[in-house]
Amino acid sequence: MAEPLFERLCLIGVGLIGSSIARVARARGDIARCVVASARTEATLRRVRELGIADEVEADPARAVRGADGVILCVPVGVYTQVMEAIAPHLAPGSVLSDVGSTKGSVLRDLLPLTPSTVHLVPAHPLAGTEHSGPDAGFAELFQGRYCILTPPPGSDPVAVERIAELWRRCGSIVETMDAATHDKVLAIVSHLPHLIAFTICGTADDLAQETREAVLKYAASGFRDFTRIAASDVDMWRDIFLNNREAVLEMLARFTEDAQAFGRAIRWGQAEFIEDRIRRGRKIRRGLIERKQA
């Protein structure tokens, strides 16, 4: 077995992603000698203790990070500043600070000014998840074969970047690196906009007259059920994603709105060739995802 990457790895937040990292670390043994978990609520802390997925459980994040050579923020991006203000004075010199947030420009905006000069910041985003949340939702196989994008700021220590990259490789991920702005634009179209559409479709269905809504739910086909699965995602996390990736999401929404209106015009005017082209493009993208084993 390879040497553990970290002597003491602290996870701030133990929901789906945090608890999955903890489970991988527990199963493999070569990610950290000691895993420390910190969470906001006593109920979550109690459940983590019951599950036995961490070596130590600590309510106070400032105490949790003391002595840790690796710290990963697994909380909604909207609370990063609050958490960082609490832990920054207690981060060990030479430690590596990372995260799992779905927006990266906001992470650099919020964390860089508060990161001590002796601490290495290496933001990361595992492209894996389910609609479930909480410590019971995690599982060790969550990251297998899924991409994890690193967005280290310019001038980052290559050794620190490699430690985080290797952590995700040991979790089973395919690791890629890109700048934060590119990440946010890419994720706006492949993740954030699909969630916005799912929330909106379910909201539209819910706004219909009572008898119609019952029919929607009663006769929901697989397409609508897929949207409801996405729409069941965590409220706090997705509120923060939309607000912290505002510009990229609005840009992609504007482009989508134009394309949707063009599709609507094709339906109105009976432009079968246009409609067929859009359907074929969708089928092509689906085949590409299957070939890449990402479907």
Side-chain angles (χ1 to χ4, degrees):
M1 182 187 297
E3 281 292 302
L5 289 167
F6 296 96
E7 289 295 319
R8 186 176 178 88
L9 178 65
C10 178
L11 304 172
I12 307 293
V14 212
L16 170 66
I17 301 297
S19 69
S20 293
I21 296 171
R23 285 175 167 90
V24 178
R26 178 70 85 199
R28 288 184 58 100
D30 63 354
I31 289 178
R33 294 191 194 279
C34 175
V35 174
V36 184
S38 180
R40 181 173 52 87
T41 70
E42 181 54 43
T44 298
L45 296 169
R46 182 169 58 251
R47 186 59 183 148
V48 171
R49 292 189 188 96
E50 292 169 353
L51 292 169
I53 56 177
D55 299 293
E56 298 179 22
V57 180
E58 175 58 64
D60 182 1
R63 284 201 297 266
V65 302
R66 285 178 182 153
D69 54 340
V71 177
I72 303 179
L73 304 185
C74 306
V75 293
V77 292
V79 299
Y80 274 22
T81 298
Q82 175 187 340
V83 171
M84 192 60 179
E85 287 174 344
I87 68 173
H90 308 283
L91 292 171
S95 63
V96 183
L97 173 66
S98 189
D99 79 307
V100 298
S102 294
T103 65
K104 283 291 164 268
S106 71
V107 170
L108 295 180
R109 178 198 70 205
D110 294 342
L111 296 188
L112 267 179
L114 298 172
T115 302
S117 59
T118 56
V119 173
H120 307 291
L121 175 62
V122 185
H125 178 201
L127 306 187
T130 72
E131 70 273 27
H132 304 296
S133 57
D136 285 285
F139 52 100
E141 300 77 22
L142 178 63
F143 311 112
Q144 284 291 333
R146 300 300 178 186
Y147 285 99
C148 181
I149 301 173
L150 307 188
T151 61
S156 294
D157 175 41
V159 175
V161 174
E162 176 56 27
R163 288 179 81 186
I164 295 299
E166 181 60 21
L167 179 151
W168 286 108
R169 284 193 287 265
R170 293 186 188 187
C171 284
S173 293
I174 305 163
V175 178
E176 300 277 357
T177 302
M178 65 177 66
D179 65 89
T182 301
H183 167 278
D184 287 356
K185 185 168 287 191
V186 169
L187 268 293
I189 189 63
V190 301
S191 176
H192 306 166
L193 182 62
H195 277 80
L196 184 155
I197 294 168
F199 296 137
T200 304
I201 286 177
C202 290
T204 301
D206 196 47
D207 286 341
L208 296 177
Q210 181 67 31
E211 64 275 10
T212 307
R213 185 168 76 247
E214 288 178 353
V216 168
L217 297 179
K218 182 176 181 180
Y219 301 115
S222 59
F224 185 79
R225 290 199 298 271
D226 287 343
F227 277 119
T228 63
R229 179 187 61 78
I230 297 171
S233 300
D234 184 78
V235 174
D236 292 345
M237 182 181 80
W238 278 98
R239 175 203 63 215
D240 288 354
I241 288 171
F242 290 135
L243 294 178
N244 284 279
N245 199 24
R246 181 183 289 118
E247 291 184 7
V249 170
L250 290 177
E251 179 186 343
M252 293 303 124
L253 178 59
R255 294 180 63 168
F256 172 79
T257 301
E258 291 177 5
D259 291 343
Q261 289 173 340
F263 206 137
R265 287 192 297 270
I267 295 171
R268 180 182 298 278
W269 301 111
Q271 297 171 339
E273 187 175 323
F274 182 98
I275 296 169
E276 290 169 5
D277 174 69
R278 291 303 185 271
I279 296 171
R280 290 193 183 98
R281 289 169 71 180
R283 288 165 59 86
K284 180 182 177 182
I285 289 173
R286 175 64 180 175
R287 287 196 299 270
L289 286 176
I290 293 172
E291 289 169 3
R292 292 179 176 85
K293 296 182 172 59
Q294 295 299 309

